[in-house]
């Protein structure tokens, strides 16, 4: 990797990290760059959500405790070892065919338990602390309510803990985490055992069409990948330790200093990316496509676990949205009043109006944001169609095969030359003399117009480069008649993987660079905040597009299996290197100079490994021998690479094998006693599993209680406060304006369930009055039990009476209130299920009144409360008057405003337009301009 490679990215501020500890993947986007080094074991303090600070007892990893015969084994350990031993026995006793089917299914079941089961538990724990709530609900840590369970858990959880752990005084969050760890140990250890049995069941020691050299390469490559996998796991555990390894930050936060070095500087999410290299190493050794495809499926499930479980929690915990600074109010400006408007509405001078209605661009990013109504987009579509259909149609009509192939290859070569050398020359001249910008200024345009035209041409060239190359591959491709012959299936599999890698790399690059960097904004726009910030994929690679940015070309080359396509891919790769070295890098050096780093994270990690190899020699060796070995290492580069990894790996493998042998010898003699001891615990685990399945099912199907006396329904009621807005002589008496807070009073018996909840539904949504059979879509609240960390006094009001009844009041607003005009009702549900105990009278959500004679001022006054409600009345971000610029406009809020504008004014906007208007006044101006342009197809309102 060239030291000159850099990043087309301007420096921008990052939100504060928050807690000083991160989960095991939290550093993948560079958030932990500046965390202090602290490699010594120190006392750590944890903090629960309710603010309780406690000393975190020391824990140990599962391998060292599970296979150490000197450690006392808990019931959970015995269960884990029993299942592992049972799987091992079945591996040696089942016939080959049955063994292959059994362990394939078994591994997929354990993998599902890992990614789906553990993922569900972590997800609900992250959202509303569900596991901690279950522990409180079932009182498993309450000695008075459930003494037997309490004593058993105290004995089991204390078995592997040190003297610094006290079950009685530890917070319930910490004890719940320890209990969750036991389930994790059972699933993860058996997931690994089942996978190893699965691989050994399918191993092919004499594959077809093999030769000695290929077999040697397979085994050597597979073993190296396995050793690399072991190093990744060990190094990752060294960094994140037990707390993050077991997802501790889903339960409580911890104060400790960590150094995210080593493997965490090598690859994003190393535990889930390069940490699965062993899967592919074993696939190579086994020479089985079954092992390869099952491993790919398992790896994909793990990435889905990362995407849908870990990443949302990481963002919520360590990257909360920063509170924007409020800008100056419009009252600071001296604005003349509008004669026809209310005195409270300010007027804007022409310059302010121009800023508020600035143009809104949705540039094509490859084919993203494609719009058939734009001339440039339509022209691109026609050009792509021509490039694709001419070769393919000619082939289908039996034209000269070689001529069509030459045409396709020539077309791909032309677009590669145009994209790399043609556009590269433009950028080279633009960097030195503003060649492109000068042309547009000469004819009365601006630098931003010059950049806008460049973006259109660059995206067109990029699309045609990809399309023409893929078309050339298609003309050279022949559908295999035998997929099992030679490397046919392997080529296609690797080709698809390379294409997916390319897509991920491009998306990661765009995520960091944005439009400005993606379209080389540094070459065209001056005056931007200068500086480099290496985040995301650029934390690990200085220029990922050098190699990984061309992965799709190599993937298609493998699939096409053509030497002409291979030559074209080589030419494309070389051209890209030349572009980076002679166009992009010089411009980056001119702009950023010394800010450009020399070593990326991957390079730094490799250098560190080489350096550590020099100090890996035992001190017991005489000084003369050590000096000689150091000399050999310095001379032999291959020894430098190997020694960095093999020492630690060999030691870990040897110790693990010895521990497994000892445990197997001890447990084999007492197998019958072990199962008898574990039987009661297994029964309890089955019961808990059934409860978990029932809970999971309730998220899809309505949960119905079987122990409800229908006479109790008279004790429940839902009513609107007397202060609610009412309409006389109306079928639906209560009416609320869109976005307005709605209060509802409830009444229930004193002993009502802790998990009662109230939801909002359209009156036509549920035909059954006794059971709710559709999802609430998040429009619900607990009756009297706020979530942890929520201020109950804001939304909950509860009182008791002497008649054995209790009552309260709930406030629905913001995200728990529907943002759609219609007729609704509240429904009171029993104990977290979907039994309906009471239904309120229907109420309407209506649009606010719009004056017949519209002006910018009057439209602004209508929009102001709508915008405030769409932003959940957050005092930190809502505009206080129509002139104040928007501080923050999330997508959800913008879509609410877009819906309101369509209902009120009959004008439809894309949600991205809202923020570009900058203020309520600017939005009102844009609306009236749109209405004027759409006459007579919107309401015929006269503009003042």
């Amino acid at each position: 990797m060239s030291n000159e490679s850099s990043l087309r990215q301007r420096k921008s501020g990052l939100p504060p990290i928050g807690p000083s500890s991160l989960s095991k993947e939290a550093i993948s986007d560079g958030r932990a760059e500046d965390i202090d080094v602290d490699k010594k074991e120190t006392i750590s303090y944890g903090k629960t959500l309710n603010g309780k600070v406690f000393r975190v007892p020391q824990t140990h990893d599962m391998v060292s405790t599970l296979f150490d015969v000197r450690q006392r084994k808990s019931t959970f350990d015995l269960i884990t070892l029993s299942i592992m031993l049972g799987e091992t026995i079945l591996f040696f006793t089942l016939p080959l065919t049955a063994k292959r089917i059994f362990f394939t299914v078994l591994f997929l079941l354990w993998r599902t338990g890992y990614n789906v089961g553990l993922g569900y538990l972590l997800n609900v724990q992250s959202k509303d602390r569900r596991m901690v709530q279950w522990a409180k609900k079932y009182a498993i840590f309450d000695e008075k309510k459930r003494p037997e369970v309490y004593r058993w858990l105290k004995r089991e959880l204390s078995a592997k803990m040190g003297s610094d752990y006290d079950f009685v005084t530890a917070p319930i969050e910490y004890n719940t985490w320890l209990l969750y760890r036991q389930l994790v140990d059972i699933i993860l250890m058996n997931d690994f055992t089942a996978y190893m049995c699965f691989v050994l069941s399918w191993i092919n020691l004499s594959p077809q069409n093999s030769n000695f050299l290929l077999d040697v390469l397979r085994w050597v490559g597979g073993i190296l990948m396995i050793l690399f996998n072991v190093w990744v796991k060990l190094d990752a555990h060294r960094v994140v330790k037990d707390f993050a390894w077991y997802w501790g930050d889903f339960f409580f936060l911890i104060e400790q200093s960590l150094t995210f070095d080593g493997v965490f500087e090598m690859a994003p999410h190393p535990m889930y990316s390069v940490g699965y290299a062993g899967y592919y190493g074993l696939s190579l050794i086994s020479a089985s496509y079954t092992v390869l495809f099952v491993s790919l499926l398992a790896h994909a499930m793990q990435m889905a676990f990362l995407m849908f479980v870990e990443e949302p929690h990481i963002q919520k915990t360590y990257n909360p949205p920063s509170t924007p600074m409020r800008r100056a109010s419009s009252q600071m400006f001296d604005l003349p009043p509008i004669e026809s408007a209310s005195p409270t509405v300010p007027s804007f001078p022409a310059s302010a109006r121009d800023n508020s209605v600035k143009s809104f661009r949705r540039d094509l990013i490859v084919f993203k944001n494609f719009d058939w109504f734009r001339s440039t987009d339509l022209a691109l579509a026609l050009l792509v169609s021509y490039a694709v259909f001419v070769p393919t149609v000619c082939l289908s009509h039996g034209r000269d095969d070689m001529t069509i192939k030459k045409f396709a290859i020539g077309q791909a070569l032309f677009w590669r030359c145009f994209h790399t050398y043609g556009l590269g020359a433009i950028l080279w001249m633009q960097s030195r003399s503003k060649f492109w910008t000068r042309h547009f200024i000469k004819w009365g345009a601006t630098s931003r117009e010059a950049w806008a035209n460049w973006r259109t041409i660059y995206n067109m060239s990029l699309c045609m480069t990809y399309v023409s190359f893929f078309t050339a591959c298609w003309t050279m491709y022949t559908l295999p008649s035998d997929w099992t012959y030679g490397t046919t299936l392997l080529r296609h599999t690797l080709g698809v993987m390379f294409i997916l890698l390319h897509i991920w790399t491009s998306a990661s690059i765009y995520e960091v660079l944005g439009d400005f960097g993606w379209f080389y904004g540094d070459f065209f726009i001056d005056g931007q905040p200068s500086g480099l910030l290496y985040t995301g994929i650029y934390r690990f690679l200085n220029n990922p597009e050098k190699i990984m940015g061309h992965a799709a070309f190599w993937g298609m080359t493998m699939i096409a299996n053509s030497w002409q396509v291979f030559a074209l891919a080589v030419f494309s790769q070389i051209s890209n290197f030349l572009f980076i070295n002679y166009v992009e890098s010089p411009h980056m050096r001119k702009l950023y100079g010394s800010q450009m780093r020399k070593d990326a994270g991957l390079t730094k990690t490799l250098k560190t490994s080489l350096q550590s190899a020099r100090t890996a020699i035992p001190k017991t060796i005489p000084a003369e021998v050590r000096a000689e070995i150091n000399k050999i290492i310095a001379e032999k580069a291959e020894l430098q690479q190997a020694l960095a990894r093999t020492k630690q790996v060999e030691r870990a493998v040897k110790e693990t094998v010895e521990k497994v042998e000892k445990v197997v010898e001890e447990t084999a003699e007492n197998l019958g006693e072990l199962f008898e001891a574990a039987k009661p615990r297994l029964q309890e685990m089955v019961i808990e599993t059934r409860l978990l399945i029932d809970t999971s099912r309730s998220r899809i199907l309505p949960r119905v209680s079987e122990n409800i006396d229908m006479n109790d329904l008279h004790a429940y009621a839902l009513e609107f406060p007397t202060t609610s807005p009412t309409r006389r002589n109306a079928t639906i008496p209560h009416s609320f304006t869109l976005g307005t807070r709605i209060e509802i009073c409830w009444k229930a018996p004193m002993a009502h369930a802790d998990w009662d909840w109230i939801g909002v539904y359209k009156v036509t949504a549920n035909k059954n009055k006794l059971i709710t059979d559709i999802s609430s879509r998040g429009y619900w609240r607990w009756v009297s039990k706020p979530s942890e960390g929520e201020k109950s006094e804001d939304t909950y009001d509860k009182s008791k009476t002497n008649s054995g009844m209790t009552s309260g009041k709930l406030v629905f607003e913001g995200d728990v209130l529907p943002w759609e005009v219609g007729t609704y009702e509240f429904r009171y549900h029993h104990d977290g299920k979907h039994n309906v105990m009471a239904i309120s009278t229907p109420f309407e959500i209506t649009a606010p009144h719009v004056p017949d004679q519209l002006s910018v001022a009057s439209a602004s006054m209508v929009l102001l409360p709508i915008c405030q409600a769409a932003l959940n009345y957050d005092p930190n971000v809502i505009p206080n008057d129509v002139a104040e610029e928007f501080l923050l406009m999330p997508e959800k809020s913008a879509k609410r405003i877009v819906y309101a504008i369509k209902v009120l004014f009959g004008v439809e906007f894309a949600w991205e337009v809202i923020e570009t208007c900058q203020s309520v006044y600017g939005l009102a101006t844009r609306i009236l301009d749109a209405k004027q342009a759409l006459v007579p197809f919107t309401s015929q309102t006269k503009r003042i």
Side-chain angles (χ1 to χ4, degrees), residues 21 57 60 190 255 274 278 335 362 395 420 433 482 509 540 580 612 620 630 650 739:
S21 64
H60 304 279
N190 284 284
E255 291 293 335
V274 295
L335 302 177
R362 295 176 67 247
L395 279 177
T420 303
S433 63
D482 184 3
I509 291 172
F540 315 101
I580 291 175
S612 63
T620 56
N630 277 327
E650 289 177 356

Side-chain angles (χ1 to χ4, degrees), residues 127 222 337 381 457 548 569 610 643 680 716 723 751 788 813 884 898:
K127 289 181 177 178
I457 295 174
M548 297 169 63
L610 292 176
L643 192 58
Y716 293 84
T723 57
E788 290 189 45
E813 61 181 341
E884 192 167 41
V898 164

Side-chain angles (χ1 to χ4, degrees), residues 363-387:
D363 289 303
L364 273 178
I365 311 295
V366 188
F367 292 108
K368 180 184 177 183
N369 299 328
F370 186 87
D371 190 340
W372 286 103
F373 295 89
R374 282 194 298 199
S375 59
T376 54
D377 296 17
L378 183 59
L380 177 61
L382 294 175
L383 190 59
V384 168
S385 300
Y386 167 80

Side-chain angles (χ1 to χ4, degrees), residues 700-719:
I700 303 174
L701 300 175
R703 298 179 59 191
V704 181
S705 177
E706 300 176 355
N707 301 316
I708 297 180
D709 185 353
M710 300 306 295
N711 294 326
D712 292 341
L713 297 179
H714 301 289
Y716 293 84
L718 286 173
E719 298 176 349

Side-chain angles (χ1 to χ4, degrees), residues 116-126 131 134 180 183 692:
V116 179
L118 296 182
Y120 167 77
L121 291 176
L122 288 175
N123 191 44
V124 298
Q125 173 66 16
S126 174
M131 278 193 274
W134 285 338
Y180 174 74
L183 178 62
L692 176 60

Side-chain angles (χ1 to χ4, degrees), residues 4 421 424-425 427-429 431-432 523 546 574-587 589:
E4 309 299 336
Y421 299 102
L427 286 179
W428 186 84
M429 290 186 288
S431 175
R432 282 157 176 74
F523 287 78
K546 262 192 173 182
I574 294 174
S575 299
N576 187 59
F577 271 107
L578 293 175
F579 173 81
I580 291 175
N581 288 333
Y582 292 102
V583 177
E584 183 177 325
S585 293
H587 186 75
R589 287 197 302 270

Side-chain angles (χ1 to χ4, degrees), residues 16-17 19 21-23 26 31 249 253 314-320:
I17 293 178
S21 64
L22 305 178
S23 72
R31 295 193 298 273
D249 54 3
L253 295 177
I314 290 170
Q315 296 300 325
K316 182 178 72 172
T317 305
Y318 301 105
N319 272 344

Side-chain angles (χ1 to χ4, degrees), residues 416 462 466 498 501-506 509 518 537 541 543-554 573 576 580:
R416 168 51 62 184
L462 182 66
Y466 281 97
F498 272 58
L501 175 63
H502 182 107
I503 294 173
W504 173 82
T505 301
S506 299
I509 291 172
W518 183 266
I537 193 173
L541 300 170
N543 230 321
E545 60 265 38
K546 262 192 173 182
I547 302 295
M548 297 169 63
H550 268 62
F553 293 97
W554 292 111
Q573 186 75 73
N576 187 59
I580 291 175

